[in-house]
Amino acid sequence: MYTSRITGMGKYVPENIVTNDDLSKLMDTNDAWIQERTGIKERRHIKKGDGNSTAVMGVKAAEMALERAKVSKDDIDMIVFATLSPDYYFPGCGVQVQELMGIHTCPAIDVRNQCSGFVYALSVADQFIKTGMYKNVLVIGSENHSGGLDFTTRGRSVSVIFGDGAGAAVLSRSEVDGHGILSTHLHSEGKHALELSLKGPSTNHWVPQLIEENPQEDIPYYPYMNGQFVFKNAVVRFSEVIMEGLKANNLEVSDIDMLVPHQANLRISQFIQKKFQLSDYQVYNNIQRYGNTTAASIPIALCEAWEEGKVKEGDTVVLAAFGSGFTWASAVIKW
């Protein structure tokens, strides 16, 4: 079988910066409270009329990734798009990207695994390349959270966390053994599905029923999160799935050159860093600037780490994510 390697990375975040102080004007919160609990200082939000959407931001990140990979849009064999905030309930964003970029009629797959979405999408692309079916796969993670958040005091525990943005990678076939994506590891545990969820609208509880039931205090089309429960599960699953990836490749924690965790909460990343005794140079965090961008967080962070020279040729890079579902995943890469 072939191996697959990341040949180009790209990212895009809206220009509109929303600080903690900005949010304090909309809800009962403050900068110190948000930073203490999440580590976030600011995030980016789409501004009405700026032309951005989940698919459009994905295209902007993808165009940068293609240019850096020196791959033409005509060379793309498949699109895998990860998001929890598609522009439409259906069709998915993958086909929008295909049309907006003028890519030929290649397959377009949408992945709905929320915070684990990009690693899941990367794994899907990896399998198609390893088997020899495709040569170049465009993998995108993009989110427009700001369009669906409750910016009142009622929703502050969730709304202060999330930001908008997109990241993309071009995954290409390689014949160099021991290079590129070494392995991916995917898990789920649906019994905790409602601990981090958005229950409506859905085909089981659609818009007319929501309108009929409102106004109400617990509005089901805003996200719900049992924060402490999610945190406790996240730190356990992060550790497990990182170790699973290392063991599968006969690696030790000391072999990690760069860990790029999903940017859910700076406290989770710091907990994992301390547990594995990793230095600040071995863990990349940018949640302080962008908040949690869900499926976009890992590709944005990985792209920035590479741009800053913190991910270099030959480095062992570990990606790890945990999120709604619950789902969790890791990828081990020889850069």
Side-chain angles (χ1 to χ4, degrees):
M1 290 200 303
Y2 299 102
T3 58
S4 55
R5 60 187 297 261
I6 295 173
T7 53
M9 294 288 305
K11 71 179 192 300
Y12 175 80
V13 291
E15 293 182 5
N16 181 38
I17 298 172
V18 178
T19 66
N20 293 341
D21 288 335
D22 291 333
L23 292 180
S24 71
K25 297 170 186 175
L26 303 174
M27 61 188 76
D28 183 13
T29 191
N30 59 70
D31 177 65
W33 188 91
I34 297 171
Q35 285 204 53
E36 180 184 344
R37 286 161 178 78
T38 69
I40 299 167
K41 298 178 181 179
E42 61 187 38
R43 72 287 293 146
R44 305 295 181 98
H45 284 172
I46 289 174
K47 201 168 186 178
K48 192 172 182 180
D50 70 2
N52 281 312
S53 72
T54 299
V56 168
M57 290 191 296
V59 167
K60 291 176 180 179
E63 288 174 340
M64 180 184 292
L66 285 173
E67 182 180 349
R68 288 170 168 177
K70 296 180 172 57
V71 170
S72 164
K73 64 182 178 63
D74 298 324
D75 296 322
I76 295 299
D77 300 309
M78 183 170 73
I79 300 163
V80 188
F81 197 111
T83 187
L84 65 73
S85 53
D87 294 342
Y88 310 116
Y89 190 78
F90 64 85
C93 289
V95 297
Q96 292 178 262
V97 168
Q98 178 270 325
E99 171 64 16
L100 288 167
M101 296 185 71
I103 296 173
H104 58 91
T105 58
C106 71
I109 298 174
D110 282 57
V111 173
R112 297 292 298 276
N113 285 90
Q114 295 67 250
C115 299
S116 304
F118 184 79
V119 182
Y120 264 74
L122 200 68
S123 183
V124 169
D126 182 41
Q127 311 315 313
F128 276 99
I129 290 176
K130 279 181 175 176
T131 58
M133 187 167 183
Y134 295 131
K135 189 175 180 181
N136 296 296
V137 180
L138 176 59
V139 185
I140 301 170
S142 181
E143 303 288 3
N144 170 16
H145 289 305
S146 62
L149 296 174
D150 181 2
F151 289 106
T152 68
T153 299
R154 176 185 55 207
R156 64 180 175 178
S157 62
V158 172
S159 298
V160 300
I161 297 171
F162 293 97
D164 303 339
V170 175
L171 212 60
S172 301
R173 182 190 298 172
S174 172
E175 298 185 29
V176 180
D177 195 30
H179 186 74
I181 296 180
L182 303 182
S183 64
T184 56
H185 308 270
L186 314 177
H187 297 275
S188 70
E189 191 175 26
K191 71 179 181 180
H192 299 310
L194 298 184
E195 300 298 339
L196 177 51
S197 62
L198 194 160
K199 293 191 286 186
S202 73
T203 52
N204 292 320
H205 196 75
W206 201 234
V207 175
Q209 292 166 274
L210 295 176
I211 294 173
E212 190 176 313
E213 292 166 2
N214 285 328
Q216 57 183 324
E217 187 61 26
D218 182 20
I219 299 177
Y221 49 73
Y222 287 134
Y224 165 78
M225 179 172 65
N226 182 345
Q228 289 187 339
F229 187 78
V230 172
F231 187 100
K232 289 176 182 177
N233 277 265
V235 294
V236 172
R237 297 308 192 186
F238 261 110
S239 300
E240 289 178 352
V241 82
I242 291 169
M243 289 307 302
E244 181 182 2
L246 293 175
K247 288 178 181 177
N249 294 283
N250 296 313
L251 297 170
E252 303 291 337
V253 171
S254 58
D255 293 317
I256 297 175
D257 294 301
M258 179 58 68
L259 170 64
V260 181
H262 162 56
Q263 305 293 298
N265 186 310
L266 186 61
R267 307 306 164 219
I268 295 175
S269 295
Q270 290 172 333
F271 182 93
I272 299 301
Q273 178 178 343
K274 185 176 180 180
K275 180 174 181 177
F276 285 108
Q277 298 183 319
L278 297 171
S279 71
D280 289 343
Y281 299 101
Q282 291 172 286
V283 183
Y284 193 85
N285 290 301
N286 62 4
I287 190 172
Q288 302 94 320
R289 300 190 300 278
Y290 303 128
N292 179 349
T293 54
T294 308
S297 80
I298 284 180
I300 290 174
L302 180 59
C303 183
E304 283 199 342
W306 172 77
E307 288 172 341
E308 295 170 14
K310 295 178 180 178
V311 172
K312 304 176 292 298
E313 186 84 19
D315 280 356
T316 297
V317 179
V318 177
L319 313 179
F322 175 90
S324 173
F326 287 153
T327 61
W328 58 101
S330 68
V332 181
I333 304 169
K334 180 63 73 172
W335 200 261

